[in-house]
């Protein structure tokens, strides 16, 4: 029986869109190179994992894309939340599931600086959620198996009593491999239908 709902944050709780940043701020001829050197780079993942500091990451991306120093500073000055559409979210839906008796948790790859901004802007993480794990806090990252095992141990949860929702197929696969019920969310607007299908069988 499913008792626990575990959520990714980007593109599950909030819409996260790098394409809107690229379309609005980056010349079309530069978009692939900019993406590859920033959002799609190994260093972005290392920043999420907490192995490269937030400010060192800023300097690295500016060095890789000096033409877009102003944009990179703008992204980092907002603690990356410029990439989030915070008005397009599933917060109220998850609050409804808490009221139905489900325990809500979060498990996300994210720098500490980004999470702290989001945490201050809503009571969701402290009041709706039992708790959660942010990759940079523990220097582990999805889809590696250790972060899932750490999460289950931290909250003393049985994998088969959990459902994990993530937009990334690799993250979902690892969760399934260790016995968690897991589903890939293709768009943030699919959350209602996905939870209804999983939890109301």
């Amino acid at each position: 029986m499913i008792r626990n709902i575990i959520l990714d944050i980007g593109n599950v709780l909030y819409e996260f869109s790098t394409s809107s940043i690229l379309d609005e701020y980056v010349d079309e001829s530069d978009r692939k190179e900019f993406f590859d050197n920033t959002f799609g780079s190994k260093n972005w993942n290392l920043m999420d994992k907490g192995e490269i500091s937030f400010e060192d990451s800023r300097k690295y991306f500016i060095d890789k894309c000096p033409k877009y120093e102003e944009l990179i500073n703008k992204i980092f000055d907002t603690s990356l939340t410029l990439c989030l559409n915070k008005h397009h979210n599933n917060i109220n839906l998850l609050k409804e599931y808490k009221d139905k008796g489900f325990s809500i948790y979060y498990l996300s790859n994210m720098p500490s600086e980004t999470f702290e901004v989001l945490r201050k802007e809503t009571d969701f993480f402290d009041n709706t959620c039992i708790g959660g794990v942010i990759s940079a806090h523990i220097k582990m990252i999805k889809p590696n198996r250790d972060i899932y095992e750490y999460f289950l141990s931290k909250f003393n949860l049985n994998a088969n009593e959990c459902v994990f929702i993530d937009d990334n197929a690799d993250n979902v696969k690892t969760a399934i491999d260790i016995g968690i019920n897991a589903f890939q969310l293709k768009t943030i607007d699919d959350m209602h239908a996905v939870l209804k299908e999983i939890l109301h069988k």
Side-chain angles (χ1 to χ4, degrees), residues 23 73 82 147 152 169 176 195:
D23 291 346
N73 278 326
L82 185 68
I147 194 169
L152 293 173
I176 291 172
L195 287 178

Side-chain angles (χ1 to χ4, degrees), residues 107 133 138 140 144-157 174-175 177-178 180:
L107 176 59
V133 169
I138 59 169
M140 300 178 191
N144 296 344
R145 186 183 181 100
D146 58 354
I147 194 169
Y148 299 86
E149 294 172 338
Y150 175 89
F151 178 91
L152 293 173
S153 175
K154 177 180 174 69
F155 295 106
N156 195 28
L157 300 178
T174 302
D177 287 346
I178 65 170
I180 299 171

Side-chain angles (χ1 to χ4, degrees), residues 16-184:
F16 179 83
S17 176
T18 57
S19 60
S20 62
I21 299 293
L22 297 174
D23 291 346
E24 184 171 353
Y25 297 104
V26 179
D27 294 340
E28 186 173 0
S29 59
D30 294 337
R31 286 173 191 165
K32 183 181 186 306
E33 182 178 2
F34 182 87
F35 179 87
D36 290 346
N37 284 324
T38 55
F39 306 118
S41 72
K42 178 181 179 182
N43 278 55
W44 191 275
N45 287 333
L46 292 174
M47 176 179 65
D48 276 350
K49 193 177 179 183
E51 290 193 354
I52 299 179
S53 76
F54 198 70
E55 289 306 317
D56 284 347
S57 298
R58 183 201 297 254
K59 292 172 186 174
Y60 173 84
F61 295 131
I62 289 172
D63 184 57
K64 297 296 288 186
C65 305
K67 178 179 176 180
Y68 293 100
E69 179 176 358
E70 183 177 353
L71 171 58
I72 292 167
N73 278 326
K74 188 171 186 176
I75 292 170
F76 275 77
D77 287 346
T78 65
S79 297
L80 315 186
T81 62
L82 185 68
C83 306
L84 292 173
N85 181 352
K86 288 179 279 187
H87 299 292
H88 192 185
N89 65 69
N90 281 313
I91 287 175
N92 288 335
L93 176 62
L94 272 300
K95 287 182 177 180
E96 291 176 13
Y97 274 90
K98 180 188 178 184
D99 291 342
K100 292 175 182 177
F102 292 94
S103 296
I104 313 297
Y105 300 86
Y106 53 88
L107 176 59
S108 189
N109 291 346
M110 181 175 287
S112 302
E113 290 82 356
T114 306
F115 180 69
E116 288 309 314
V117 169
L118 297 177
R119 190 175 189 177
K120 290 174 183 175
E121 291 181 348
T122 174
D123 65 357
F124 176 81
F125 297 102
D126 291 325
N127 292 348
T128 301
C129 297
I130 301 291
V133 169
I134 297 297
S135 57
H137 291 170
I138 59 169
K139 293 185 168 49
M140 300 178 191
I141 196 167
K142 298 178 294 182
N144 296 344
R145 186 183 181 100
D146 58 354
I147 194 169
Y148 299 86
E149 294 172 338
Y150 175 89
F151 178 91
L152 293 173
S153 175
K154 177 180 174 69
F155 295 106
N156 195 28
L157 300 178
N158 295 320
N160 62 2
E161 294 180 344
C162 300
V163 61
F164 173 60
I165 312 292
D166 198 294
D167 65 313
N168 182 287
D170 290 335
N171 297 345
V172 168
K173 182 180 183 303
T174 302
I176 291 172
D177 287 346
I178 65 170
I180 299 171
N181 303 280
F183 295 84
Q184 182 182 11

